[in-house]
């Protein structure tokens, strides 16, 4: 597996481009000295709270949780907005970023335009998740980022370990069910996690921005070229465990992918993701590996129909999304037992739901209406 994200489940040819130094970037504490030695310098220097949120006037505290496989993940807690009342936290909402991003993705734009700020200012108790390997979560109880084993995991582990650890921590602290909000990779993690009873029991509602489970109709040129080059196999053969596009090797790989004769990589963030073929399944170790891990030749699928019909779900997706294609989103919707509330915006791409300055009006008004309705809150947004 090549991390972060290792490789994606179920594909015979898997691509995971994970570049964690490039990124803006659970529930047991490890020995403090070991933890401090293995936390990233950026996090140790003050973390997301000190670097971004506290200077903006928002209350914010840093938390660390440890996953069952030893990763140390950072969480940020914003209990209320600038003018909120201390010790009077509203319903908890958990924000999970996508690939190539960290928790700061929810605060990219101004206070009035970024979803993280908007939720806090409208009475929600906001928790920010950061998965393993990202800028804010490069710690481990025994490993360092220089160890090969640190990067040997897939997005399946993000769902089964990271989501479980972070949500369990928030649930324990708040003693309340949590509204889950995910974007891109945060949605595939969420959908997989919601099939697990021990996780979904902690969730009161789910908001999925650009939901991904199937990628049969992906049209992002960068991804298609990388797959055609067998980039995943090349990286494994070269012994590369962390792909950093700021390194000399990373620049060379980008140059080969972004040759002007092939495609334009000026809008790289909107193109990069993970790709699989045909199924929403666990990691494919090959026949013998699958028999050892799963007791069968093929990896088991995540059964979307096992997500409780009683779980309220809201989905936002766009007509110009080259990753979460409309056809694939519709397939996901059909496999759910419930009927999610939908917001379709024809001229929105994959990143627009997070980074567009128009998202406040185009997306967040309806998103907030949904969350407030689930919590019985009066709408004032």
């Amino acid at each position: 597996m090549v991390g972060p994200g290792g490789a994606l489940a179920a594909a015979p040819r898997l691509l995971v481009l994970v570049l964690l130094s490039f990124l803006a970037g659970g529930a047991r504490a490890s020995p403090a000295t070991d933890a401090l030695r293995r936390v990233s310098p950026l996090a140790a220097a003050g973390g997301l709270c000190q670097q971004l949120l506290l200077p903006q006037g928002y209350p914010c505290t840093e938390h660390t949780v440890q996953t069952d496989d030893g990763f140390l993940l950072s969480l940020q807690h914003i209990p209320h907005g600038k003018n909120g009342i201390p010790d009077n936290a509203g319903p908890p909402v958990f924000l999970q970023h996508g690939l190539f991003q960290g928790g700061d993705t929810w605060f990219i734009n101004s206070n009035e335009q970024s979803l993280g700020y908007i939720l806090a200012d409208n009475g929600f108790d906001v928790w920010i998740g950061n998965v393993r390997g990202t800028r804010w979560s490069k710690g481990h109880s025994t490993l360092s980022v220089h160890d090969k084993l640190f990067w040997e995991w897939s997005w399946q582990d993000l769902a089964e370990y990271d989501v479980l650890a972070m949500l369990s921590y928030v649930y324990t602290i708040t003693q309340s069910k949590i509204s889950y909000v995910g974007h891109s990779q945060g949605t595939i993690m969420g959908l997989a996690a919601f099939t697990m009873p021990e996780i979904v029991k902690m969730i009161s509602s789910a908001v999925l921005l650009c939901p991904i489970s199937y990628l049969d109709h992906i049209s992002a040129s960068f991804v298609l070229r990388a797959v055609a080059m067998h980039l995943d196999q090349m990286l494994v053969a070269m012994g590369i465990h962390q792909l950093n596009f700021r390194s000399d090797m990373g620049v060379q790989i980008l140059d080969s992918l972004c040759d002007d004769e092939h495609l334009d990589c000026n809008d790289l963030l909107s193109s990069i993701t993970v790709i699989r073929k045909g199924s929403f399944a666990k990691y494919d170790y090959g026949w013998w590996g699958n028999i050892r891990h799963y007791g069968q030749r093929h990896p088991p699928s995540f059964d979307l129909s096992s997500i409780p019909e009683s779980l309220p779900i809201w989905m936002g997706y766009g007509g110009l999304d080259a990753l979460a294609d409309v056809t694939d989103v519709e397939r996901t919707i059909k496999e759910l037992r419930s009927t999610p509330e939908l917001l379709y915006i024809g001229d929105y791409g994959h990143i627009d739901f997070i980074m567009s300055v128009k998202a406040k009006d185009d997306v967040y008004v309806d998103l907030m209406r949904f969350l407030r309705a689930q919590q019985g809150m009066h709408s004032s947004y």
Side-chain angles (χ1 to χ4, degrees), residues 3-5 18-25 38-44 48 71-76 96-105 128-140 145 150-151 153 158 162 166 185 189 242:
V18 189
L19 125 91
L20 293 177
S21 297
F22 177 71
L23 302 186
R38 294 183 171 86
V39 169
S40 71
L42 285 167
L48 181 55
F71 285 87
L72 305 175
L73 312 179
S74 73
L75 285 169
Q76 290 77 40
Q96 182 53 60
H97 61 79
L99 187 65
F100 288 115
Q101 299 172 338
D104 46 328
T105 193
I128 311 299
N130 299 273
V131 299
R132 62 185 66 187
T134 53
R135 177 179 183 179
W136 312 107
S137 294
K138 287 193 173 179
H140 193 278
V145 294
F150 183 93
W151 301 106
W153 44 269
L158 303 184
D162 292 22
M166 292 187 290
Q185 181 182 259
M189 292 164 54
Q242 177 188 16

Side-chain angles (χ1 to χ4, degrees), residues 283-306:
Y283 184 78
D284 191 344
Y285 293 93
W287 278 16
W288 292 114
N290 290 335
I291 290 174
R292 283 200 311 271
H293 285 85
Y294 309 123
Q296 58 190 56
R297 291 191 302 174
H298 301 287
S301 296
F302 287 103
D303 182 8
L304 293 176
S305 67
S306 68

Side-chain angles (χ1 to χ4, degrees), residues 216-227:
D216 291 340
H217 297 86
I218 187 172
S219 60
S221 299
F222 182 94
V223 177
L224 295 177
R225 175 157 171 75
V227 171

Side-chain angles (χ1 to χ4, degrees), residues 211 213-214 304 315 317 326-342:
S213 57
Y214 298 101
L304 293 176
M315 292 184 177
Y317 61 111
V326 171
T327 302
D328 294 328
V329 173
E330 290 175 346
R331 178 181 177 185
T332 299
I333 294 169
K334 288 180 181 178
E335 294 192 11
L336 294 170
R337 292 167 58 194
S338 63
T339 302
E341 296 190 30
L342 303 175

Side-chain angles (χ1 to χ4, degrees), residues 182-331:
H183 172 248
S184 188
Q185 181 182 259
T187 69
I188 194 172
M189 292 164 54
L191 286 168
F194 300 158
T195 67
M196 307 172 198
E198 67 271 28
I199 293 179
V200 76
K201 69 180 183 181
M202 298 183 284
I203 304 299
S204 61
S205 61
V207 167
L208 306 178
L209 297 165
C210 310
I212 292 177
S213 57
Y214 298 101
L215 288 169
D216 291 340
H217 297 86
I218 187 172
S219 60
S221 299
F222 182 94
V223 177
L224 295 177
R225 175 157 171 75
V227 171
M229 290 176 61
H230 297 192
L231 180 59
D232 57 324
Q233 297 176 10
M234 290 169 52
L235 295 176
V236 171
M238 296 166 65
I240 296 176
H241 314 300
Q242 177 188 16
L243 180 57
N244 176 5
F245 287 161
R246 286 180 172 173
S247 67
D248 291 341
M249 177 63 71
V251 170
Q252 292 177 28
I253 292 173
L254 272 184
D255 284 344
S256 65
L257 286 172
C258 298
D259 189 314
D260 287 340
E261 295 181 3
H262 297 103
L263 74 155
D264 180 7
C265 288
N266 287 329
D267 193 13
L268 182 65
L269 185 59
S270 67
S271 297
I272 299 174
T273 189
V274 286
I275 185 168
R276 282 166 284 113
K277 294 181 179 179
S279 62
F280 181 37
K282 296 188 176 184
Y283 184 78
D284 191 344
Y285 293 93
W287 278 16
W288 292 114
N290 290 335
I291 290 174
R292 283 200 311 271
H293 285 85
Y294 309 123
Q296 58 190 56
R297 291 191 302 174
H298 301 287
S301 296
F302 287 103
D303 182 8
L304 293 176
S305 67
S306 68
I307 298 176
E309 186 176 5
S310 58
L311 178 66
I313 299 175
W314 181 100
M315 292 184 177
Y317 61 111
L320 300 181
D321 194 329
L323 304 179
D325 183 84
V326 171
T327 302
D328 294 328
V329 173
E330 290 175 346
R331 178 181 177 185

Side-chain angles (χ1 to χ4, degrees), residues 52-233:
L52 179 62
L53 298 167
L54 291 173
Q56 293 291 321
Y58 286 82
C60 185
T61 54
E62 296 279 351
H63 302 255
T64 301
V65 297
Q66 181 171 326
T67 65
D68 285 342
D69 55 350
F71 285 87
L72 305 175
L73 312 179
S74 73
L75 285 169
Q76 290 77 40
H77 180 211
I78 310 173
H80 56 77
K82 283 185 177 182
N83 301 315
I85 302 173
D87 302 322
N88 188 31
V93 58
F94 177 83
L95 304 183
Q96 182 53 60
H97 61 79
L99 187 65
F100 288 115
Q101 299 172 338
D104 46 328
T105 193
W106 303 103
F107 307 94
I108 291 293
N109 292 320
S110 69
N111 298 355
E112 295 76 24
Q113 296 169 330
S114 299
L115 183 58
Y117 293 127
I118 290 171
L119 287 166
D121 286 332
N122 280 269
F124 287 90
D125 182 22
V126 180
W127 293 81
I128 311 299
N130 299 273
V131 299
R132 62 185 66 187
T134 53
R135 177 179 183 179
W136 312 107
S137 294
K138 287 193 173 179
H140 193 278
S141 59
T142 60
L143 302 172
S144 82
V145 294
H146 304 293
D147 296 320
K148 175 183 177 181
L149 289 176
F150 183 93
W151 301 106
E152 289 208 1
W153 44 269
S154 73
W155 70 264
Q156 176 186 334
D157 298 296
L158 303 184
E160 295 180 343
Y161 292 104
D162 292 22
V163 171
L164 175 60
M166 292 187 290
L167 290 179
S168 295
Y169 182 86
V170 175
Y171 185 78
T172 299
I173 295 295
T174 63
Q175 291 294 295
S176 174
K177 286 193 172 185
I178 305 154
S179 292
Y180 181 99
V181 178
H183 172 248
S184 188
Q185 181 182 259
T187 69
I188 194 172
M189 292 164 54
L191 286 168
F194 300 158
T195 67
M196 307 172 198
E198 67 271 28
I199 293 179
V200 76
K201 69 180 183 181
M202 298 183 284
I203 304 299
S204 61
S205 61
V207 167
L208 306 178
L209 297 165
C210 310
I212 292 177
S213 57
Y214 298 101
L215 288 169
D216 291 340
H217 297 86
I218 187 172
S219 60
S221 299
F222 182 94
V223 177
L224 295 177
R225 175 157 171 75
V227 171
M229 290 176 61
H230 297 192
L231 180 59
D232 57 324
Q233 297 176 10

